[in-house]
Amino acid sequence: MLIARVIGTTVSTIKDEKLVSRKLLILRQTDERGEPVGKPYVAVDTVDAGAGDLVLTAAGSSARQTNITKDTPVDAVIMAVIDSLEVGGEVVFRKS
Amino acid sequence: MLIARVIGTTVSTIKDEKLVSRKLLILRQTDERGEPVGKPYVAVDTVDAGAGDLVLTAAGSSARQTNITKDTPVDAVIMAVIDSLEVGGEVVFRKS
Amino acid sequence: MLIARVIGTTVSTIKDEKLVSRKLLILRQTDERGEPVGKPYVAVDTVDAGAGDLVLTAAGSSARQTNITKDTPVDAVIMAVIDSLEVGGEVVFRKS
Amino acid sequence: MLIARVIGTTVSTIKDEKLVSRKLLILRQTDERGEPVGKPYVAVDTVDAGAGDLVLTAAGSSARQTNITKDTPVDAVIMAVIDSLEVGGEVVFRKS
Amino acid sequence: MLIARVIGTTVSTIKDEKLVSRKLLILRQTDERGEPVGKPYVAVDTVDAGAGDLVLTAAGSSARQTNITKDTPVDAVIMAVIDSLEVGGEVVFRKS
């Protein structure tokens, strides 16, 4: 899984019918302290994540293992909102 | 999923029989504002996307979860045309 | 899918039994004009591609969606020979 | 599989129901001598790995091939703790 | 598939039960001439490859399409030992 921050939203009228009513958020991967790394990507939200939240995303066929994404043409899913990250015995991120 | 712009088309006479009548478009991944990043790739169009459109693509086995791509040897699908992108509470892209 | 050029061949005597009689070609990914980018990789040929041809390859489980690669331990397949590529309304590659 | 070192832990209250009671560790990929390379990622622990351990992780659908991760939206799993690594006939890492 | 060279071995006592008796080798991807490129990774050996051998590896779900790796949490498999590589009509590698 990747640690990522929710940075935006996408709006699409023309889309696969299985995507109707799905919330597709724009994310940027972060490192283990919440600092941005890498290119942006888009994932289906299944946990009511909000702008600025640090989340976990699963990719590939694993992204279809939730009730909301089953049999859907999506390759990334937000399946957890991160409360805190601990590295080297120290809390390096805590959701405010 | 990746945000990408449609930049071209491919034509193939010799191809797997399941690809007959499939529209294979050339894409370039973009960032969250529609600016190009990364290398070009090719995806099957399922939403009648046109040259210059910003779209969403799903990769891997997820690319086969549409009626058009089921059981087909393709690893990327265009499954949405993007109307607008919002980042940090601001609309950063709107389809013209 | 990736656009790639056939640059060579591999020969293996000791291999998984399902690979017997399969043609494994060496490819280099190209951009949308046929110029090389990225590292070389190997794919099973299902369309009788030849040295120098520009082709399309599908990766992952999608590589097993042809009659030739079903249930086979291969993660990349050549499933189309490219006749031409058009970018920005202009033909940028034509098979000679 | 990737060789990686366990560098931290994640805590999430809001998550997919299949992730309840799963231990999600933060990892950093290492080279063949245990030196860090690449970006951090998160994997489900199935072998009771501890902070600082060098481990092996499997990604994608393969991450769901354990009793603990079956049908779960996770794309990386820790499925072995590394005792030692040998390169060029020499032991280059031994678990202390 | 990737062309890679076997550079070492891993030893693990604590591991998923399906990995017992599996040989997990350390590899480094090479280019089409056998020169190293990219980061090391680990794959299950199914063809009795030895140190220094140039091999082909398949990744993802395709890595589970051999008798040895079926239903196993591994995402890379060595499924061929390379005898020779030919590029541009010239033999650029031959197993010694």
Side-chain angles (χ1 to χ4, degrees):
Chain A
M1 280 73 72
L2 298 181
I3 303 170
R5 192 177 296 278
V6 179
I7 64 168
T9 58
T10 70
V11 177
S12 296
T13 309
I14 302 170
K15 58 187 160 188
D16 188 272
E17 59 186 17
K18 295 181 203 162
L19 291 172
V20 173
S21 310
R22 293 293 164 259
K23 193 165 65 159
L24 296 172
L25 298 181
I26 310 174
L27 299 155
R28 186 176 288 274
Q29 185 184 353
T30 76
D31 66 13
E32 72 276 19
R33 292 165 191 273
E35 297 302 314
V37 291
K39 299 170 188 165
Y41 61 102
V42 173
V44 178
D45 180 26
T46 67
V47 290
D48 203 22
D53 277 352
L54 220 55
V55 297
L56 287 177
T57 65
S61 59
S62 299
R64 303 196 308 270
Q65 307 292 316
T66 73
N67 292 334
I68 288 174
T69 54
K70 194 164 180 293
D71 299 330
T72 302
V74 298
D75 64 9
V77 68
I78 302 173
M79 57 356 153
V81 176
I82 295 174
D83 294 329
S84 63
L85 297 171
E86 192 181 306
V87 175
E90 198 185 330
V91 175
V92 294
F93 169 81
R94 194 181 302 276
K95 190 178 194 302
S96 53
Chain B
M1 281 73 72
L2 298 181
I3 303 170
R5 193 177 297 277
V6 178
I7 64 169
T9 58
T10 70
V11 177
S12 295
T13 310
I14 302 171
K15 57 187 162 189
D16 187 90
E17 60 186 16
K18 295 179 202 162
L19 291 173
V20 173
S21 309
R22 294 292 163 259
K23 192 165 64 158
L24 296 172
L25 298 181
I26 309 175
L27 300 155
R28 187 177 287 274
Q29 185 184 351
T30 76
D31 66 12
E32 72 276 19
R33 290 163 193 275
E35 297 302 315
V37 291
K39 300 170 189 166
Y41 61 102
V42 173
V44 178
D45 181 26
T46 67
V47 290
D48 204 21
D53 278 351
L54 220 56
V55 297
L56 288 177
T57 64
S61 59
S62 299
R64 302 196 308 271
Q65 305 293 316
T66 73
N67 293 334
I68 288 174
T69 55
K70 194 165 180 292
D71 299 330
T72 301
V74 298
D75 64 8
V77 69
I78 301 173
M79 52 6 147
V81 176
I82 294 174
D83 294 330
S84 63
L85 296 172
E86 190 181 309
V87 175
E90 198 184 332
V91 174
V92 294
F93 168 81
R94 194 181 302 273
K95 191 177 192 304
S96 54
Chain C
M1 281 72 72
L2 299 181
I3 303 170
R5 193 176 296 278
V6 178
I7 63 168
T9 58
T10 69
V11 177
S12 296
T13 311
I14 302 170
K15 58 187 163 189
D16 187 89
E17 59 186 15
K18 295 179 201 161
L19 292 172
V20 173
S21 309
R22 294 293 164 259
K23 192 165 65 157
L24 296 172
L25 298 181
I26 309 175
L27 300 155
R28 188 177 287 274
Q29 185 184 351
T30 76
D31 67 13
E32 72 276 18
R33 290 163 192 274
E35 297 302 315
V37 291
K39 300 170 188 167
Y41 61 103
V42 173
V44 178
D45 180 26
T46 67
V47 290
D48 204 21
D53 278 352
L54 220 55
V55 297
L56 287 177
T57 65
S61 59
S62 299
R64 303 196 308 271
Q65 307 292 317
T66 74
N67 293 334
I68 288 175
T69 54
K70 195 165 179 291
D71 300 330
T72 301
V74 298
D75 63 9
V77 68
I78 301 172
M79 50 8 145
V81 176
I82 294 174
D83 294 330
S84 62
L85 297 172
E86 190 180 308
V87 175
E90 198 185 329
V91 174
V92 293
F93 168 82
R94 195 182 300 274
K95 191 178 192 306
S96 54
Chain D
M1 281 73 71
L2 299 181
I3 303 171
R5 192 177 297 278
V6 178
I7 64 168
T9 58
T10 71
V11 177
S12 295
T13 309
I14 301 171
K15 58 187 160 189
D16 187 271
E17 58 186 16
K18 293 180 203 161
L19 291 172
V20 174
S21 309
R22 294 292 164 260
K23 194 165 65 159
L24 296 172
L25 298 181
I26 309 174
L27 299 156
R28 187 176 287 274
Q29 185 184 352
T30 76
D31 67 12
E32 72 276 18
R33 292 164 192 273
E35 296 302 314
V37 291
K39 299 170 189 167
Y41 61 102
V42 173
V44 178
D45 180 26
T46 67
V47 290
D48 204 21
D53 277 353
L54 220 56
V55 297
L56 288 177
T57 65
S61 58
S62 300
R64 302 196 309 271
Q65 306 291 317
T66 73
N67 293 334
I68 287 174
T69 54
K70 194 163 179 294
D71 299 331
T72 301
V74 297
D75 64 8
V77 68
I78 302 173
M79 56 357 152
V81 176
I82 295 174
D83 294 329
S84 63
L85 297 171
E86 192 181 306
V87 174
E90 197 186 330
V91 175
V92 294
F93 168 81
R94 193 181 300 274
K95 190 178 193 303
S96 53
Chain E
M1 281 73 71
L2 299 181
I3 303 170
R5 192 176 297 277
V6 178
I7 64 168
T9 58
T10 69
V11 177
S12 296
T13 310
I14 302 170
K15 58 187 160 188
D16 188 272
E17 59 186 16
K18 295 179 203 161
L19 292 172
V20 173
S21 310
R22 294 293 163 261
K23 193 165 65 158
L24 296 172
L25 298 182
I26 310 174
L27 300 155
R28 187 177 287 275
Q29 184 184 352
T30 77
D31 66 13
E32 72 277 18
R33 291 165 192 272
E35 297 302 315
V37 291
K39 299 170 189 165
Y41 61 103
V42 173
V44 178
D45 179 27
T46 67
V47 290
D48 204 22
D53 278 353
L54 220 55
V55 297
L56 288 176
T57 66
S61 58
S62 300
R64 302 196 309 272
Q65 307 291 318
T66 73
N67 293 334
I68 288 175
T69 54
K70 194 165 179 291
D71 300 331
T72 301
V74 298
D75 63 9
V77 69
I78 302 172
M79 52 5 148
V81 176
I82 296 174
D83 293 330
S84 63
L85 297 171
E86 191 180 307
V87 175
E90 196 186 331
V91 175
V92 294
F93 168 82
R94 194 181 299 275
K95 190 177 192 305
S96 54

